[in-house]
Amino acid sequence: MTPTLFALLERVHGHLALLGLALLMHPIVSLMRRKGVPWWTQATADLAALLLAAPFGLGWWIYSDYRAHVKGGLYATKSPALPAFETKEHLAVFAMALAIAGTLTLRLAGKDPGGRRTALALLLSAWCCGVVTGVIGMWVSAVTTHAW
Amino acid sequence: MAFGLGTPVSYATQRLLAKLLLHENPAMVVSQVHTPFTWRLFLSILHGVLLGLILAVGLSDTRAGRVLAAGPWIVAGVIIPFAVSMVMVP
């Protein structure tokens, strides 16, 4: 993979994840304010989970190039971005799994008040993990751009 | 819910056990490609799916309802400690 393609995919990965996080706000706010689950709440939850899973997959795909070309530079300079980047990866796994679980819980148990509350807790946890992931990602991205 | 809790818990447990038991050489991390992360990721997803299937088959509707009623507390109680335990873990 060329540095240009890596940088392009890295940006697509980040922007899609940001879009997914923004969309995830809709079912969270909707579940906090409404008693039922309208179809558009389920639709945005599904789409948000998809929009978080897709950049996660893209991130996994470019991860090998990151380790091969970027991580060495960070390791050599003892950059604090190195452990922070791995924290980002760990929390991204959390966010992806929680978002998928939240939308599945909403779909399978959305008629039950407990199911809706659990789905809200899962989606809110996914959003929190995703936001921390995004903030670390922006910081690490600013550092790693120069490390290739 | 089982998938949402099983996958992160499995992932974090694998990473923490690897950190505690394997005595990794940080310099070797650079020479690895993405095998450890990929294995950890796919194993944790497999664990989450299996846990979900086992609970879907084994848990009655009444018990599932009780679990879902306590769902937010279970999610917070499980996810927060494991998420915090992952901070600055390489």
Side-chain angles (χ1 to χ4, degrees):
Chain A
M1 190 182 293
T2 63
T4 309
L5 182 61
F6 178 82
L8 177 72
L9 291 176
E10 187 193 13
R11 277 157 184 76
V12 171
H13 158 76
H15 283 86
L16 277 180
L18 189 68
L19 196 62
L21 282 177
L23 194 62
L24 193 59
M25 280 302 290
H26 178 264
I28 290 171
V29 172
S30 181
L31 285 170
M32 279 177 178
R33 299 180 69 162
R34 288 175 182 271
K35 285 185 178 172
V37 184
W39 70 267
W40 56 84
T41 301
Q42 183 66 59
T44 51
D46 291 347
L47 194 57
L50 191 68
L51 273 173
L52 288 175
F56 181 83
L58 189 58
W60 171 75
W61 187 42
I62 62 174
Y63 188 68
S64 57
D65 280 276
Y66 161 80
R67 289 189 80 128
H69 300 292
V70 181
K71 198 166 187 174
L74 294 176
Y75 182 74
T77 55
K78 294 187 168 44
S79 170
L82 188 61
F85 183 89
E86 298 304 321
T87 304
K88 179 183 98 69
E89 295 302 292
H90 303 327
L91 291 180
V93 175
F94 278 52
M96 185 266 304
L98 287 165
I100 292 173
T103 192
L104 283 176
T105 304
L106 196 60
R107 190 168 279 284
L108 297 173
K111 288 179 182 169
D112 179 58
R116 283 198 298 278
R117 280 197 300 273
T118 303
L120 173 62
L122 288 163
L123 294 174
L124 191 59
S125 306
W127 189 81
C128 292
C129 288
V131 166
V132 177
T133 302
V135 170
I136 298 174
M138 279 191 281
W139 172 51
V140 174
S141 174
V143 178
T144 55
T145 308
H146 311 290
W148 188 294
Chain B
M1 186 175 113
F3 175 77
L5 298 182
T7 301
V9 168
S10 168
Y11 179 90
T13 306
Q14 287 177 62
R15 184 66 199 97
L16 291 172
L17 281 177
K19 190 189 171 200
L20 287 172
L21 302 176
L22 291 183
H23 307 293
E24 296 161 322
N25 178 2
M28 290 302 290
V29 169
V30 178
S31 63
Q32 294 168 343
V33 186
H34 66 325
T35 308
F37 176 65
T38 303
W39 272 106
R40 198 159 56 236
L41 178 64
F42 282 98
L43 265 179
S44 61
I45 290 173
L46 182 69
H47 288 154
V49 170
L50 283 176
L51 184 66
L53 288 175
I54 289 167
L55 290 181
V57 171
L59 216 60
S60 67
D61 283 355
T62 317
R63 283 189 178 174
R66 275 189 222 140
V67 172
L68 284 175
W73 298 106
I74 298 171
V75 171
V78 171
I79 291 302
I80 292 171
F82 276 97
V84 170
S85 74
M86 288 286 96
V87 173
M88 296 311 260
V89 173

